[in-house]
Structure formats: C-alpha cells, structure tokens
Amino acid sequence: MAQVTTGREIVILKDESVTLPKGFKAGGLHCGLKRKKLDLGYITSAVPATAAGVYTTNVFQAAPLVVTQESLAKENKIQAIVVNSANANACTGEQGLKDAYEMQSQFAAELGVKDHLVAVTSTGVIGELLPMDKINTGIKQLLHKDNEGVNNFLQAILTTDLMVKQIGVQMNIDGKTVSIGGAAKGSGMIHPNMATMLGFVTTDANIAYTDLSSALKDITNETFNMITVDGDTSTNDMVVVMANGLAGNGQLTKDHPDWEVFYAGLKTVCEALAKKIARDGEGATKLIEVKVAGAFSQQAARAVGKAIISSNLVKTAIYGTDANWGRIVTAIGYSGVPIDPNSIKVSIGAYPVFENGLPTPFDEAKLKQYLEQENVQIVVELNQGDVSATAWGCDLTYDYVKINASYRT
C-alpha cells in the first residue's frame, strides 16, 4: 500500500480504491459480453448512501444515464451501482431503456433493496442492444463470494484501457478517520463536458447532499473537465459519488471547520483519476500537462489550456519529440480568449520558447531530450491577471488510429 502524506492532512493510498471507505464492497465477473475478460461489475454500500452525479452534455444520452439520474432524483440516495462494459446501451431506443431498467430491478432484487437504490452504468460500442440473457445470468451470480473483490470490479469496467485507475485517501474529520476511494475507466472518446468516462467515488463521510453535489460539480470543472484524449464527448460519460456516513463524523457542510480538508481530499481523488485517464489515452506514450497562469478569469485560463491540450498538431509534435512551439501559440490564438500576442510567454518544461511576440532561442537537442520523457509540461503566462488553471492530455500516436479503425472488430 503506497502512502503519500500531503501538506493538507491527507494521506494518499495509491493502491486503494472504492472499497477503502467503510461499508463498501465491489466485484465483477465475465458474463459473455467480451470474449474472455470480465465485463460485469458492481459496487455496494452496507447502507443507503447520499449520492451525487455529473453527466455528459452529449444530447444522445445513453439509457443507463437516464435511469441513474431518475434514481438519484428520488431521494438523493443509492445503495449500489451495477456496470457493464463492451456495450454502451446508447442509441438503442425504447428497448434499450427497458433493458437498463431490467438491469436495475434484477440487481435490486439480488440485494433485497428498492429499485431506485441501484444506479446503472454501461460503456462500450454504441447502437447495439444488450444481450439481456447474458446480463441477467451474470447479475444472478454477481454477489457470489468468488466474484467479490475490487480487482474484479476494476477489470470489469475496462474497454480499451491498458491500466486500471484507482486511488484512496484518508483524513481526520471530527476526530474520525474519513476515507475517500476512487476508480475510473476511460481511454478513448474523452473530451468531457460535465463529466468524462465512467468515474466511481465512494466515501464513508457523513455529508449533506447539497454540499456533496456542489463540491463534485466544482471539482469536476477543475479535474475531469480539464482533460482530453481525442476531442470526443461520449454518450455515456458519468461520475457518481456515494457517501454512506459510516465514518461517524458530524455532518459535513460548507460551514464545517473541516470542510476544506474533505474538499481537498475529494479533489485529490478526482484529479488523480483524471490524470490517469489522460495518461492511458488510446495509444498514448506521454502525459501532457498544460499550466496556464496570468489569466483574467477562470473561464479564460481553462479555455486556453483546453485549446492547447486538444490540438492534434500539438499532440503529434509531442509524440514526435518536436519542439514546435508555433503549434502551441496557434492554439492559444484560436482559444477564443482575447490576448495580447506581444505579452504572452510560452515554455516547454523549463525551456522558454516564445516571449513578447517572438521566438526565444533554445537548445534543440536538450529540449528534444526533455520531450522524450513520459511527462511533458507546457507553461503559458498570459500576463492579464492572477487566475490560473491546469489541463491534462496525451500525445497522439499511430496506435490511436489502429485502435479506433478496428474498434468494433
């Protein structure tokens, strides 16, 4: 269990996940949606948990998102999530909606809880109906002890991902140890608006719904909404956080003296998952971080960062270890943010490459060597104000084309 202690009274447990907080279990199995790999998973809480979510803004919302949003709206609580990979159950019409409700009711029956306490999520190929005979058979076996275990869950939610994405943190609130765990899947079709991929966050904190929902939305804008892999916003993107209160702390609200510690812990989990998704972009070899400083507003800083990280020309240059700063400047110019071209400064790593409207001399060999690293940073100073933002993405490689040219086969 790798531990890192931050300066904010937060202990980061890199090898932990959604079962770190008290009362949560997870598992998964192979039900036949994929050839051999696990493809059906679950998370359960020992008691109903306060729950909040953020969802894709794509107008083609998949059937599971409709069902889950309805569930959370009933009383802002759920007790379980059932998720399948390989099939998105998106653009499947009335039958797809019926199938999502059936997944919900079947798993609720296995748990012995009301239907609306089960959230449903799916990921995979768009436009194909779920093979409900396989799904129902899998759900009936899902809670068997042989299928329990967070590693089974982490594998069951993957599609083209090459690595599992997980993290846990702990902190002290009201003299109690409060835990937050996170897991996610996401590798392609990543350019979030409201959320991205499938994200699952659990905590044993006692927290008011309104403040939990507000925190998730604000943190999503700083983390999940600041990554991109390929510029595509999925039909199934969703992040859900469950808080079951079993840590025994006094109820957290924004007025609680330990609110900032909890908020920082939740942000730590979401940022770590977001960066893992960006690094695991389909075919990626590098994680790219873009730091924008000196903006006049948060919106402006984020817009510039997302423009750079979304540029295919920037992404291919990073892959080719080409210090082509002109592509970065071009992306800043079309970001929609009014800037003075003669006032900005651009650096790649520790190397300034553009300042005051002109290129800055740099050592090509040293910068190329820097670009060969797994983590690459681009820093932009706008000199307009004191607001900053960070965005994350990955390089664009030949393998991305290979993977997506044959995704359905």
Side-chain angles (χ1 to χ4, degrees):
M1 182 185 298
Q3 296 188 14
V4 177
T5 303
T6 74
R8 298 171 295 182
E9 303 176 63
I10 298 167
V11 177
I12 300 173
L13 308 171
K14 295 183 178 180
D15 299 324
E16 290 290 349
S17 189
V18 291
T19 54
L20 174 64
K22 295 177 182 177
F24 286 98
K25 292 183 178 180
L29 53 72
H30 170 70
C31 74
L33 304 182
K34 298 177 183 175
R35 291 175 183 170
K36 294 181 180 179
K37 298 180 180 179
L38 305 188
D39 48 26
L40 186 66
Y42 73 88
I43 300 172
T44 61
S45 171
V47 297
T50 299
V54 287
Y55 313 91
T56 183
T57 55
N58 192 311
V59 296
F60 289 99
Q61 285 203 352
L65 268 67
V66 175
V67 174
T68 294
Q69 289 177 77
E70 286 181 1
S71 292
L72 267 65
K74 282 189 180 292
E75 54 180 312
N76 302 321
K77 289 183 180 292
I78 57 173
Q79 196 165 347
I81 300 174
V82 60
V83 54
N84 73 273
S85 56
N87 185 313
N89 193 10
C91 299
T92 47
E94 189 63 29
Q95 185 59 51
L97 192 58
K98 289 180 180 178
D99 291 342
Y101 281 123
E102 187 175 344
M103 285 182 67
Q104 179 186 53
S105 63
Q106 290 283 359
F107 196 49
E110 292 296 317
L111 287 169
V113 302
K114 295 178 180 178
D115 288 3
H116 73 271
L117 290 176
V118 174
V120 182
T121 61
S122 300
T123 181
V125 177
I126 294 171
E128 296 182 3
L129 291 173
L130 285 168
M132 290 306 295
D133 55 337
K134 295 179 179 179
I135 291 284
N136 288 333
T137 297
I139 287 176
K140 290 177 182 178
Q141 301 170 354
L142 202 48
L143 295 176
H144 191 279
K145 63 179 181 179
D146 290 343
N147 300 317
E148 186 178 320
V150 71
N151 289 333
N152 284 357
F153 173 77
L154 293 170
Q155 293 295 329
I157 65 177
L158 304 182
T159 51
T160 56
D161 307 61
L162 294 180
M163 63 183 75
V164 299
K165 302 162 185 72
Q166 62 180 350
I167 188 173
V169 303
Q170 289 184 323
M171 66 216 75
N172 187 287
I173 295 176
D174 288 336
K176 307 289 185 180
T177 297
V178 170
S179 302
I180 306 175
K185 68 81 49 190
S187 187
M189 198 174 280
I190 302 294
H191 187 76
N193 294 297
M194 279 293 286
T196 182
M197 70 323 143
L198 297 182
F200 308 92
V201 180
T202 59
T203 179
D204 48 21
N206 177 10
I207 182 170
Y209 165 75
T210 300
D211 297 293
L212 178 63
S213 179
S214 175
L216 179 63
K217 289 176 181 177
D218 289 345
I219 289 170
T220 292
N221 283 331
E222 296 181 77
T223 58
F224 294 122
N225 277 354
M226 291 302 293
I227 64 172
T228 188
V229 169
D230 49 20
D232 281 303
T233 299
S234 171
T235 56
N236 292 57
D237 295 347
M238 178 171 69
V239 178
V240 173
V241 57
M242 301 170 67
N244 66 16
L246 294 182
N249 62 287
Q251 188 178 59
L252 280 163
T253 67
K254 291 181 180 177
D255 296 324
H256 192 287
D258 291 328
W259 172 256
E260 292 301 326
V261 177
F262 176 81
Y263 186 95
L266 183 59
K267 183 179 177 183
T268 297
V269 168
C270 293
E271 182 176 309
L273 294 176
K275 290 167 71 173
K276 288 174 185 287
I277 291 167
R279 175 59 186 88
D280 195 28
E282 290 171 339
T285 65
K286 298 180 176 69
L287 173 67
I288 307 171
E289 180 178 79
V290 177
K291 288 194 169 187
V292 180
F296 60 82
S297 71
Q298 194 73 68
Q299 183 179 6
R302 290 173 179 171
V304 170
K306 286 293 286 282
I308 296 169
I309 212 70
S310 301
S311 166
N312 284 340
L313 291 179
V314 172
K315 289 155 70 70
T316 51
I318 299 297
Y319 171 64
T321 64
D322 179 10
N324 192 339
W325 57 265
R327 296 180 175 183
I328 300 171
V329 171
T330 298
I332 297 170
Y334 65 62
S335 67
V337 175
I339 60 167
D340 178 1
N342 294 316
S343 68
I344 70 169
K345 178 181 178 180
V346 177
S347 299
I348 301 176
Y351 302 91
V353 293
F354 181 83
E355 190 171 8
N356 300 325
L358 295 169
T360 300
F362 58 88
D363 188 317
E364 286 275 2
K366 287 184 178 180
L367 193 43
K368 181 177 177 60
Q369 186 177 24
Y370 171 75
L371 290 172
E372 290 172 350
Q373 297 181 144
E374 185 176 342
N375 297 313
V376 172
Q377 186 180 77
I378 297 170
V379 181
V380 178
E381 173 59 59
L382 297 178
N383 289 308
Q384 297 177 325
D386 58 2
V387 182
S388 61
T390 305
W392 299 273
C394 60
D395 55 345
L396 183 60
T397 72
Y398 303 114
D399 284 340
Y400 177 85
V401 177
K402 293 179 182 178
I403 291 167
N404 284 284
S406 57
Y407 184 72
R408 295 198 305 155
T409 56

